Amino acid sequence: MTGDLFSLKGKNAWITGGAHGIGFSIACAYAAAGADWIVFNCSNEASRQKGLDAYHAAGIENVRGYVCDVTDEKAVHDLVERIHAEVGPIHILVNNAGIIKRIPMHEMKRAEFQQVIDVDLVAPYICAAAVVPEMMERREGKIINICSMMSELGRETVSAYAAAKGGLKMLTRNICSEYGAYNIQCNGLGPGYIATSQTAPLRERQPDGSRHPFDAFIVAKTPAGRWLAPEELAGPAVFLASKASDAVNGHILYVDGGILAYIGKQP
């Protein structure tokens, strides 16, 4: 019985930006949990092919990759129709695609701020709105938005990102409120600081052997005393996509090693 609760057998999952990093790790977890098909999209053909190669190397064959700009409403709706035609219904949507621009707010151009809002907040709205009608008809669906600790905390140079993720947190709650009666669960997954290729430069040892200043800061702020591995998102991501979370809706599950609960080490 417990195994069935977490099984994704018979389900198709669409992970935006799922060619690498967190999205790829979540997709692999869904495949391991028995999902019938993994679908991902990315912004260009080179990334799509690299993603397909990574999935095949991981032994995942039931995977489709597409090129789609998730900020383009027509392109997203066209993609959803194509997924339905080539794979079948979308049971699970993971709004993972995102960007960050680390620029002091007073130096940031409006167009830069808007780009982050469009990718990190408007795109999840577009993708969710595109899959909800079919989920309503089926009276079943899971939408998982990749939120961030920056939906709860502020930090210098990430004003646009924090604003977008704070908005995404509230979009998550509103989708829950609006479509819960259709047995659609919309929750957020809030990763902490994850050791990926993108964050590798922040974890490199300095010439004198000391930690990178940001690395030292994160380790000191995390009760776990370390960066988290992408694979540590697997269990929470499967939980939010499976029957085990059917009574969980509008919740943000932070997988942060305890940062949000911790004031930090005394100097």
Side-chain angles (χ1 to χ4, degrees):
M1 179 62 180
T2 303
D4 291 343
L5 279 177
F6 295 93
S7 172
L8 299 183
K9 186 176 176 57
K11 307 298 184 184
N12 301 320
W14 172 27
I15 298 93
T16 70
H20 58 83
I22 289 172
F24 177 78
S25 293
I26 290 173
C28 289
Y30 288 171
D36 285 9
W37 281 94
I38 299 298
V39 174
F40 73 93
N41 71 277
C42 43
S43 58
N44 58 72
E45 177 58 28
S47 292
R48 185 191 79 90
Q49 190 56 57
K50 187 174 181 180
L52 285 174
D53 292 344
Y55 281 105
H56 293 155
I60 300 170
E61 297 301 327
N62 284 6
V63 58
R64 294 288 181 95
Y66 301 93
V67 175
C68 178
D69 177 358
V70 287
T71 68
D72 183 331
E73 189 171 15
K74 183 180 184 306
V76 168
H77 281 269
D78 288 347
L79 175 59
V80 168
E81 289 185 7
R82 187 174 174 188
I83 293 170
H84 282 178
E86 297 181 0
V87 174
I90 298 167
H91 303 95
I92 303 159
L93 165 65
V94 180
N95 278 313
N96 167 74
I99 60 171
I100 187 169
K101 291 182 181 291
R102 295 180 177 88
I103 305 170
M105 189 181 73
H106 68 283
E107 297 177 5
M108 190 175 228
K109 295 180 174 58
R110 183 188 185 282
E112 294 171 324
F113 189 94
Q114 187 67 57
Q115 184 186 11
V116 176
I117 298 295
D118 285 345
V119 175
D120 293 359
L121 177 58
V122 177
Y125 145 73
I126 291 173
C127 293
V131 302
V132 156
E134 196 273 335
M135 289 181 174
M136 291 170 67
E137 289 181 14
R138 196 174 62 246
R139 300 191 72 83
E140 178 190 25
K142 300 281 188 177
I143 298 172
I144 300 164
N145 294 323
I146 303 302
C147 297
S148 166
M149 293 183 301
M150 293 301 105
S151 65
E152 299 287 344
L153 300 171
R155 188 165 63 79
E156 61 278 5
T157 77
V158 294
S159 58
Y161 185 78
K165 293 300 185 177
L168 186 58
K169 174 178 70 177
M170 293 311 301
L171 177 64
T172 300
R173 292 174 176 171
N174 203 78
I175 293 172
C176 155
S177 302
E178 195 161 353
Y179 300 106
Y182 293 92
N183 192 32
I184 297 170
Q185 291 86 47
C186 181
N187 292 290
L189 186 64
Y193 286 90
I194 309 295
T196 65
S197 58
Q198 291 96 323
T199 60
L202 298 175
R203 290 177 282 109
E204 290 180 353
R205 289 285 176 172
Q206 303 301 286
D208 64 359
S210 64
R211 290 183 180 272
H212 186 288
F214 192 78
D215 181 20
F217 166 69
I218 294 305
V219 169
K221 279 292 294 177
T222 307
R226 60 179 177 82
W227 291 64
L228 307 181
E231 296 77 17
E232 291 179 288
L233 295 169
V238 169
F239 167 68
L240 292 179
S242 69
K243 287 183 65 63
S245 63
D246 280 357
V248 179
N249 210 354
H251 177 72
I252 313 299
L253 175 53
Y254 292 102
V255 186
D256 64 354
I259 289 179
L260 288 175
Y262 190 43
I263 196 171
K265 292 182 184 297
Q266 181 177 340

